[in-house]
Amino acid sequence: MASKALLSAFRANKPAFGVWLTAGGIFHARTVAQASPHLSWIVVDCEHGIIPLVPGAAETVAAINGAVPNGGPSAVVRIPATGVSGSTNWQIKYALDAGARGVLVPMVSTAEKAREIVADSRFPPFGRRGFGSPHTPGIWGVGVSEYLETANNDISVMVQIENQDGVKNVKEIAAVDGIDVLFVGPYDLSISLGYPLPNPDPHPAVESVVQRVLAAAHDAGKKCAIYCTTRAQSIKRAAEGFDMISVTSDVGALTQGIAESLTTVVQ
């Protein structure tokens, strides 16, 4: 059954910690999903990762959902199309039909686009998502009727705030009914604002913008998420009140683990 770990953390007002999955492969996804009982979510990165949306997202989501009996992390798919493109509609449909518990759309800059994303993510009467996949209810471990009854409430719709226009319009975006999470992308945000990449923390001027996004999300009664690369960062962001926090990535954890093991042996 598809896990509600992320949604459960949101509803309990507890920080939800997760990881970024950038490499494909069923066994790779299962291994990551089984890594810790404290893992609430996994983002399947079809934007900057090397996981193709079709058919990679569906295969990866199925692997994550089946990795831990009666639980495990929730699968969230980041689609490759950004908020400035016209291709988000079919990509959201595919990600959700693949059984994702959440969809993440990069570089959303306007409330108009946010409303479009919500419409594409919800079944009528709250949206325009079409139904027809014979696989989705089974991936969730429910019947067709139950899926249709619960999907609108149980799927998290997330938009990334990571450029100047998104920051300028952040209050309007946060106010859109049906947007559940504002997700801060500190790398593209830094570039867009004319500052160097985080190393590992963002420039102080970018940090002030990060805090603006956090405040806008919470003022609107929404959750706020942020991408982190270190344990220290994750602890700091949780203390600041972020609701959804990445701790590491598959490649980052693999590289760090091998390097630390070899350094210990060599020394």
Side-chain angles (χ1 to χ4, degrees), residues 97-120:
D97 279 358
R101 280 281 177 181
V103 63
L104 177 59
V105 181
M107 289 193 179
V108 175
S109 304
T110 66
E112 179 183 9
K113 185 64 181 183
R115 284 189 288 269
E116 177 187 316
I117 290 164
V118 171
D120 291 335

Side-chain angles (χ1 to χ4, degrees), residues 40-118:
S40 294
W41 54 271
I42 297 174
V43 162
V44 180
D45 190 1
C46 298
E47 185 195 16
H48 292 306
I50 55 171
I51 304 170
L53 182 66
V54 183
E59 295 171 344
T60 305
V61 169
I64 292 169
N65 286 345
V68 181
N70 303 315
S74 301
V76 176
V77 173
R78 178 161 77 165
I79 64 171
T82 68
V84 298
S85 77
S87 301
T88 53
N89 175 284
W90 75 266
Q91 295 190 10
I92 290 170
K93 176 171 64 176
Y94 185 86
L96 296 181
D97 279 358
R101 280 281 177 181
V103 63
L104 177 59
V105 181
M107 289 193 179
V108 175
S109 304
T110 66
E112 179 183 9
K113 185 64 181 183
R115 284 189 288 269
E116 177 187 316
I117 290 164
V118 171

Side-chain angles (χ1 to χ4, degrees), residues 179-235:
I179 291 295
D180 298 305
V181 180
L182 301 189
F183 205 119
V184 178
Y187 285 80
D188 278 320
L189 182 61
S190 297
I191 295 171
S192 176
L193 296 175
Y195 292 97
L197 293 176
N199 185 33
D201 296 319
H203 186 278
V206 178
E207 180 60 33
S208 68
V209 174
V210 170
Q211 296 302 321
R212 275 180 58 192
V213 177
L214 174 63
H218 286 175
D219 287 348
K222 308 299 175 67
K223 301 299 184 181
C224 196
I226 190 164
Y227 181 85
C228 297
T229 57
T230 69
R231 281 172 267 186
Q233 272 187 333
S234 302
I235 293 169

Side-chain angles (χ1 to χ4, degrees), residues 167-187:
V167 172
K168 181 177 68 176
N169 298 318
V170 67
K171 290 185 178 181
E172 291 79 7
I173 294 170
V176 172
D177 189 25
I179 291 295
D180 298 305
V181 180
L182 301 189
F183 205 119
V184 178
Y187 285 80

Side-chain angles (χ1 to χ4, degrees), residues 97-99 132-141:
D97 279 358
S133 171
H135 306 290
T136 317
I139 294 171
W140 276 32

